[in-house]
Amino acid sequence: MSKERYIQAKEKWAAKQKASGVTARAVASENRLPPGQKLTEKFPVLDLGVQPEIAHADWTLTLDGLVTNNTALTWEKFNSLPQVEDTSDFHCVTTWSKYDCLWSGVAFTTLYELVQPNPEAKYVYFTSYDGYSTNVLLEQCLDDDVLIATSFDGKPVTREHGGPARVIVPKLYAWKGAKFVKNITFLDQDKLGFWEIRGYSNTADPFTEDRYA
Ligand SMILES: Nc1nc2c(c(=O)[nH]1)N[C@H]1C(S)=C(S)[C@@H](COP(=O)(O)O)O[C@H]1N2
Ligand SMILES: [Mo]
């Protein structure tokens, strides 16, 4: 059953890849900067005032909830999973955007294959080592540019930017990507995260200025 959903998602990507070859890409590059955003070359740091220091030996990523295989990944195990690279733009709700961020790490789909969510799982809730949390639709997590990144521009993700590992969901405002990620839970009902509870939009689409609920 969860396989069917996974296949559907893959079909969707294939259609998207095909479309993006001509028209969709051209439109996207013309309108690359979302409304109300300013381009920055720098990489500002946004956090809750805590940048937890997690030694690789103490790091685990747990995956649970409505899954067939509850999983706890050590740093070693996580890094032995297939690695991907993806370049994407980064849009923070505080109005800065950064182009061409090169991330590498493990694709969300790889984790999906590993834990095999049940068909009822439709929502994903991320929890971090600094107490942060955020939520994303499972369908959006399965997009081909979503990954758990351990490196940025060819170097390990720094502590201030959310190392050892952070989630990147390029199509949504950046608060939807959990830095210092610790746990990923699959749910059949939506559960609002740290900023979503505090008035930020749950859908968070930069291109429609979907900033606040
Ligand atoms: N764990 C955690 N993840 C987080 C945050 C946070 O405070 N804690 N801030 C979010 C916000 S609002 C943004 S814009 C980005 C900022 O990432 P950066 O500090 O690498 O620019 O991380 C997101 N993920
Ligand atoms: Mo942000």
Side-chain angles (χ1 to χ4, degrees):
M1 277 305 172
S2 60
K3 227 175 209 144
E4 274 168 36
R5 274 189 58 78
Y6 174 67
I7 290 165
Q8 275 170 14
K10 283 225 160 168
E11 278 174 355
K12 222 180 67 189
W13 303 343
K16 189 185 76 173
Q17 292 302 321
K18 205 168 143 193
S20 70
V22 235
T23 14
R25 247 311 128 66
V27 170
S29 59
E30 265 170 40
N31 302 319
R32 191 169 174 191
L33 191 64
Q37 295 291 110
K38 285 182 272 340
L39 197 57
T40 178
E41 295 288 317
K42 292 175 288 193
F43 198 172
V45 172
L46 277 279
D47 57 42
L48 303 177
V50 189
Q51 295 172 354
E53 176 147 31
I54 311 119
H56 290 162
D58 299 330
W59 185 90
T60 49
L61 176 63
T62 49
L63 299 115
D64 54 25
L66 297 171
V67 296
T68 312
N69 309 313
N70 273 306
T71 304
L73 296 166
T74 62
W75 182 249
E76 231 170 43
K77 256 200 205 158
F78 184 78
N79 286 288
S80 71
L81 295 171
Q83 301 290 305
V84 292
E85 243 183 27
D86 191 70
T87 302
S88 56
D89 298 344
F90 191 100
H91 309 295
C92 173
V93 72
T94 61
T95 75
W96 57 271
S97 291
K98 182 174 171 62
Y99 287 165
D100 295 322
C101 300
L102 172 63
W103 300 104
S104 52
V106 175
F108 189 91
T109 51
T110 299
L111 299 179
Y112 180 94
E113 286 167 36
L114 200 68
V115 300
Q116 309 249 339
N118 304 342
E120 311 89 68
K122 299 222 157 50
Y123 304 92
V124 182
Y125 187 82
F126 298 90
T127 313
S128 298
Y129 281 96
D130 61 345
Y132 189 79
S133 55
T134 189
N135 56 305
V136 180
L137 291 175
L138 175 56
E139 193 175 290
Q140 290 182 309
C141 290
L142 292 171
D143 221 332
D144 56 359
D145 54 6
V146 176
L147 75 159
I148 291 66
T150 51
S151 106
F152 172 74
D153 266 350
K155 281 165 267 164
V157 173
T158 59
R159 180 168 152 203
E160 58 177 5
H161 285 298
R166 72 177 295 170
V167 183
I168 295 293
V169 188
K171 292 190 183 67
L172 303 179
Y173 281 121
W175 86 78
K176 289 285 190 182
K179 294 160 67 168
F180 322 109
V181 67
K182 179 185 183 183
N183 173 259
I184 303 178
T185 302
F186 294 79
L187 302 168
D188 59 356
Q189 285 188 343
D190 208 3
K191 178 176 172 184
L192 299 181
F194 185 88
W195 287 122
E196 290 83 5
I197 289 172
R198 291 166 174 80
Y200 282 51
S201 162
N202 194 23
T203 36
D205 170 25
F207 285 91
T208 56
E209 285 214 72
D210 181 16
R211 298 174 193 271
Y212 306 105

